[in-house]
Amino acid sequence: MNFTLKVWRQAGPEAPGRLVTYPADDISPDTSFLEMLDIVNERLIAKNEEPIAFDHDCREGICGMCGAVVNGYAHGHERGTTLCQLHMRSFRDGATIYIEPFRAKAFPVIRDLVVDRSAFDAIITAGGYISIRTGAAPEANAIPVPKENAERAMDAAACIGCGACVASCPNASAMLFTSAKLAHLGLLPQGQPERFERVRTMVSAMEQAGFGSCTNHGECEAACPKEVSMDFIARMNLDLIRASLKHR
Amino acid sequence: MTTKVMTFYGTSVGKKVVMAVTGFIVFGFVTVHMLGNLQIFLGPEKLNAYARFLKGTGAFLWAFRGVLLLSAVLHILSATQVTLQSWAARPEGYAVRRYRETTYAARTMRWGGPIIGVFVVYHLLHFTTGQLHPSAPHFDGTDVYNNVVHGFQVPWTSAVYLLAVLMVALHLYHGVWSMLQTMGAAHPRYNRWRRFLAAAFALLVGCGMAAVPVAVLAGWVRPV
Ligand code: HEM
Ligand code: FES
């Protein structure tokens, strides 16, 4: 298959960037999107040109490192799929493909398609944990957890922290990420003691990192490779309201 | 690193809650207002008696207007604040941008709101104080029925009202749904009813409000 790529190239955080056109010819339909970029990069290196920088690690959709906005969609057009799991066969032969970094003030571009997502780490540092040692895995029935809560906590914990929610949100809001991290702790017994303090500190960290304000467009949920539900945002809103009322 | 914990209103969530509560108050008013307007179909005596009753409530009327004005001010203030926050959050946009979930109503909240705001000022000068009414300076504040009918017999005036009603309906369609989400009302079993509820309310208010200018233009409601 043959493609025309329009890739965002930016030499460094302060450098100006622009879209550069590259041909991507003779690409097997079975290559993944990142493998296609690898092939293009090998050809660039052979020509003594700077390869396109992009983030990746597991390449099996579980680590959350990869991601770019492809033809206007974070992680590309396929639902519930990370960029590394997207395959070239899902594109039309001869297609022009725009590849841009995740865009948000809180995610500054480091180089080309690589962005700095430490703002997410700041949100986790603010309270995305349990402060006491929970010890080794307890005996299965020692702490009863309602089945529904266990499953919803697992759904929230499916978040791999890739940042597609921020990238796809018209407001560059990080509500889906933050709410998922709050929910997977707040739905389980071990997360209860700090539940309402946690929502205040994590939301504060989210705001201070410079993310936008949610207007309930739903683009985050649609772009999320793990299909994390916006219901967690409603839950976070309610927890913050309750936390603010309880707070002494 | 320690995070400075923000006040409730300091967070965007807090501002959204203020928007939701004040939006709900204004929405409640809009619904009652619509029901009041529909009395035009019961004839001039009914409508004018209702207007006299409202004006006779004195201090209550002013307290009510105060609450509405305060709600509008807070709604616009918090809307402006979160909008500026969101604009600052993405200094550089995308060359290609596609949407999957968002609706036209959701994307027009930010300019539909101000259009409604400007319209409300025009509306007050038109029917409440009368300066912009076609029969000014002989506008008769006690004859609401004829003020409305003469007002809407001017086609462009009716067109402005219909456009404003459309904006209100769109704003409500997203607003009602958004308000439920902001206040934490989400549950897998009821979620599909949230969209339905929003659409039903928006349609009801939209049609109820549009009925009066349409009826006047069509000649079903005439001056007496
Ligand atoms: C100058 C007038 C107005 C402005 C500037 C304005 C602006 C906005 C904006 C920007 C939003 C946020 C959109 C979102 O979160 O998706 C919003 C939400 C809302 N508006 Fe308005 N609006 C105005 C008038 C009204 C009126 C007249 C009503 C009621 C009939 C109303 C009811 C609501 C409701 C219920 C919400 C949802 C709040 C939430 O998401 O929690 N607004 N408005
Ligand atoms: S590289 Fe790990 S999720 Fe894509």
Side-chain angles (χ1 to χ4, degrees), chain A residues 71-213:
Chain A
N71 285 343
Y73 297 117
H75 288 300
H77 54 278
E78 283 204 345
R79 287 211 180 215
T81 308
T82 54
L83 193 59
C84 57
Q85 295 282 289
L86 184 68
H87 287 83
M88 297 317 290
R89 56 180 169 267
S90 69
F91 289 87
R92 194 172 39 77
D93 192 18
T96 299
I97 306 175
Y98 282 82
I99 314 174
E100 301 176 75
F102 284 176
R103 293 236 183 254
K105 185 172 126 225
F107 287 172
V109 172
I110 299 172
R111 187 180 191 124
D112 299 341
L113 305 175
V114 181
V115 298
D116 179 356
R117 285 167 290 188
S118 338
F120 272 7
D121 299 338
I123 297 173
I124 297 296
T125 314
Y129 48 79
I130 286 162
S131 306
I132 49 159
R133 280 176 174 277
T134 51
E139 196 274 316
N141 296 327
I143 307 173
V145 180
K147 177 165 160 52
E148 196 206 315
N149 283 13
E151 289 192 348
R152 282 168 66 213
M154 284 300 281
D155 289 346
C159 168
I160 52 177
C162 63
C165 45
V166 174
S168 60
C169 173
N171 302 305
S173 167
M175 299 274 278
L176 191 64
F177 168 79
T178 311
S179 66
K181 296 302 166 196
L182 281 161
H184 88 250
L185 297 172
L187 280 161
L188 296 177
Q190 295 89 339
Q192 292 311 308
E194 292 166 300
R195 175 170 164 193
F196 294 104
E197 201 43 39
R198 182 183 299 119
V199 66
R200 295 178 70 231
T201 54
M202 286 179 75
V203 169
S204 297
M206 172 185 87
E207 303 284 353
Q208 284 157 32
F211 291 106
S213 159

Side-chain angles (χ1 to χ4, degrees), chain A residues 34 56-66 82-84 160:
Chain A
L34 299 190
H56 63 106
D57 190 9
C58 71
R59 297 208 176 194
E60 56 184 13
I62 56 171
C63 75
M65 273 307 279
C66 66
T82 54
L83 193 59
C84 57
I160 52 177

Side-chain angles (χ1 to χ4, degrees), chain A residues 8 19 69 71-74 76-77 79 98 100-105 122 126 166-172 175 200-201 203-205 207-208 210-219 222-223 230-231 233-234 237-238 240-241 244, chain B residues 1-8 10-14 16-17 82-83 85-103 106-107 110 174 177-188 191 194-195:
Chain A
W8 183 262
L19 287 168
V69 171
N71 285 343
Y73 297 117
H77 54 278
R79 287 211 180 215
Y98 282 82
E100 301 176 75
F102 284 176
R103 293 236 183 254
K105 185 172 126 225
V166 174
S168 60
C169 173
N171 302 305
M175 299 274 278
R200 295 178 70 231
T201 54
V203 169
S204 297
E207 303 284 353
Q208 284 157 32
F211 291 106
S213 159
C214 173
T215 51
N216 301 317
H217 286 285
E219 290 299 320
M230 269 175 86
D231 286 3
I233 298 181
N237 290 339
L238 187 58
L240 188 71
I241 296 170
S244 303
Chain B
M1 192 193 67
T2 50
T3 311
K4 194 182 159 298
V5 179
M6 298 165 87
T7 60
F8 184 59
T11 68
S12 62
V13 178
K16 285 299 300 279
V17 168
V82 293
T83 300
Q85 176 182 346
S86 292
W87 285 349
R90 178 164 293 130
E92 184 148 20
Y94 295 104
V96 179
R97 163 96 253 207
R98 289 205 177 88
Y99 296 113
R100 291 192 255 224
E101 280 301 315
T102 181
T103 59
R107 276 176 283 127
R110 284 179 190 149
H174 184 69
W177 182 83
S178 183
M179 172 179 82
L180 292 171
Q181 180 79 2
T182 301
M183 300 307 287
H187 187 286
N191 275 355
R194 296 192 300 176
R195 284 277 183 205

